[in-house]
Each structure stands twice: as structure tokens, then as C-alpha cells.
Amino acid sequence: MCRLFGLHAGRELVTATFWLLDAPDNLAEQSRRNPDGTGLGVFGPDGVAVLHKEPVAAWQDSEFATEAHDVTATTFIAHVRYASTGALDTANTHPFLQDGRIFAHNGVVEGLDLLDERIRELGVADLVAGQTDSERVFALITAAVRDRAGDIGVGIVDAIGWLADNVPIYAVNILLSTATDMWALRYPDTHELFVLDRTVPAQRRLRLRSPRIRAESEHLTSQPSVVFASEPMDGEDWQLIAPGELVHVAADLRIDRRTVLPRPPRHLLQHADLSAQAAASQHV
């Protein structure tokens, strides 16, 4: 399945180093299926979003994914893609950028014809450059945020609520970030999503590792932060986000957790319902 990673460092710029994949000669041993793309989105010193992303169509193309990336920012979103829809190209590689916000998604949404029709009705079809369900979901959220006068939390709930009522859903785990705030949603209970509260630092350097994504920061030894990840990473006290729970991290790193979607989708897909490509992309 796709891997999500989000880091909010508060109001202060910090430098962090990311490795989105291990060395190419080790990858085949780590998973039954190789990744299809990697990406990193940040809000830098000027508060402007910057995306660094590349498809991984073959291990010969994996230099971007396996090299260390040193980036300075306030918020960071990293993603390792296992494609369920869309070609292996940059347009379909996460994260995505719309209205100055960065977004990444893990899961599968079907009923794309109906979703496309809804996006056209809302006047945001031009935001979708690729073929993924993820970018369509982001466009639906962007339309809802616009309709809600910029209230991102309410927009997320409106958009995912519409999906839950109208199209088949296997999973919609998302991260969405601005330069000052970050939101995470786990929906429904298909895939796990975790939060790590480091707002009271214990004088230990941020050094996180999973089978896919690694992140380190000397700055975040004494400075507070909040981290999200698809799976627990080494040596920290991770908390599982509940199904339907929306977590908002504000600029001052205040954490607000609310269950906003208490019921499962009306058309909840099981793994056996997925196409072969989508099913292969969702292995844990």
C-alpha cells in the first residue's frame, strides 16, 4: 500500500533529511511489489509550496527516491506510491498541489465516472492533471473548501462525506498541509494511520525509520513537532488514529482530534472487490 508521512515543525523552520526508499538492490527483498513513485512536498522559507517527485518505473530510475534529500521547511509531506490507477508518470505521483495546499492519499476510491461528473459540476475539473483517484479526491476537497470560505477541516468532512454516500470506497487516508497547519484523516478502518506527539521533546534527535521512509532532523532534538505515518516507526510512542477521526495540527502545534465520520461508507469495498492492479497496490 502507499506510504504516507507528515511532519509539522511549528512556526520555526527546520532542516530535515529524507530517504524515500532504501538502496535499489535491497528493495526487492522488502516487499512483494515494488513502489511506483515517490514524492516530497514542503512549505519552505518563503511559505510557498514546493514539490519534489518522480515516478519509479524501473530500478534504473530510482536515484531520486534513494538519495538523501535535505530540505528546510515548517511542514513536510512524503509519499511512496503503489499505483492503483493512472500511469507511472510525474502527473500521477503524489503529493499534489491545489490552491496552495499539499495533499497525499492512501487507498482506493471507485466510481470515478460519478466523481468526475461531480467535479465538473463544482467547476474544478481543471485541477485534475492526471488519472488517479487521489487527485480527484483532492479536487473534491478543494471545491468544498472554497464553498466553505476556506475552512479546510469542514471542507474535508464535506468532501469525504459525499464520497462515503455516493461512490464505492476501500480506503481514504489523507494528509493535507499548508505552511501553518496539517490535517490527517483515517477513513474507514481499512488501513492504519498513526500520529506521534513530540510537542514535549525529550532531548532526543528526530530519527525515524520504516521499511520505506526514513526521516532525521538535528533541529528537532529540543524543538517540538508532530508526525503522521502509515505505520509506526522506530522507537517512538505512536498513537493509532481512530476510523473516521480527523486530526488537525495548528501552527502552534495544538492538536485537535475529532471523530467526524462515525459510520463506514455506504458502499464499502472489500479487498476481493478490487481490480487486480488496485488489490496489488493495497498490500500492507
Side-chain angles (χ1 to χ4, degrees):
M1 74 179 184
C2 297
R3 301 309 201 271
L4 295 171
F5 179 91
L7 169 61
H8 195 327
R11 293 188 173 95
E12 300 297 324
L13 291 165
V14 301
T15 298
T17 304
F18 291 86
W19 296 262
L20 303 180
L21 298 178
D22 282 337
D25 57 351
N26 295 327
L27 284 168
E29 301 173 8
Q30 295 179 19
S31 174
R32 282 177 281 175
R33 184 161 187 263
N34 295 328
D36 299 311
T38 58
L40 179 62
V42 304
F43 284 89
D46 55 3
V48 175
V50 178
L51 302 183
H52 310 275
K53 57 183 185 176
E54 292 287 346
V56 183
W59 297 131
Q60 297 92 319
D61 302 330
S62 62
E63 180 179 353
F64 169 83
T66 55
E67 67 185 1
H69 295 274
D70 294 310
V71 286
T72 299
T74 53
T75 59
F76 309 74
I77 288 181
H79 186 274
V80 175
R81 181 189 184 213
Y82 291 79
S84 59
T85 55
L88 305 187
D89 56 26
T90 303
N92 291 316
T93 303
H94 304 228
F96 300 104
L97 179 65
Q98 294 178 12
D99 281 8
R101 306 181 193 103
I102 295 173
F103 174 89
H105 164 240
N106 170 24
V108 177
V109 174
E110 296 190 350
L112 298 186
D113 289 347
L114 184 59
L115 180 51
D116 284 340
E117 181 181 343
R118 178 64 174 164
I119 289 170
R120 285 193 295 270
E121 289 175 355
L122 295 171
V124 291
D126 61 310
L127 297 178
V128 181
Q131 299 89 43
T132 65
D133 55 348
S134 304
E135 195 178 20
R136 291 171 163 103
V137 170
F138 190 18
L140 190 67
I141 292 172
T142 298
V145 172
R146 290 176 179 178
D147 185 61
R148 291 290 190 160
D151 190 320
I152 295 174
V154 174
I156 291 172
V157 176
D158 285 356
I160 306 305
W162 185 91
L163 291 173
D165 287 341
N166 291 280
V167 300
I169 291 176
Y170 182 68
V172 186
N173 285 3
I174 67 171
L175 291 177
L176 190 154
S177 178
T178 67
T180 60
D181 294 72
M182 186 173 288
W183 290 260
L185 175 72
R186 178 187 176 206
Y187 186 70
D189 61 354
T190 310
H191 292 322
E192 295 178 332
L193 186 61
F194 294 85
V195 60
L196 172 63
D197 182 355
R198 286 175 51 99
T199 54
V200 184
Q203 297 300 314
R204 63 185 185 275
R205 179 176 180 173
L206 181 78
R207 181 174 288 143
L208 303 174
R209 176 191 290 266
S210 74
R212 280 291 179 245
I213 297 172
R214 285 189 290 150
E216 296 184 6
S217 175
E218 188 72 47
H219 286 171
L220 293 176
T221 300
S222 57
Q223 185 171 324
S225 61
V226 178
V227 189
F228 296 98
S230 298
E231 53 200 331
M233 303 170 86
D234 293 350
E236 297 279 0
D237 184 20
W238 293 89
Q239 300 175 35
L240 181 63
I241 297 172
E245 184 178 10
L246 179 67
V247 183
H248 171 223
V249 183
D252 60 1
L253 296 183
R254 241 175 336 114
I255 302 173
D256 176 60
R257 302 179 64 165
R258 295 180 296 124
T259 298
V260 295
L261 295 165
R263 292 181 297 277
R266 181 175 297 177
H267 310 287
L268 178 60
L269 295 169
Q270 303 300 319
H271 195 267
D273 300 323
L274 302 178
S275 68
Q277 181 181 4
S281 75
Q282 299 303 300
H283 280 301
V284 176

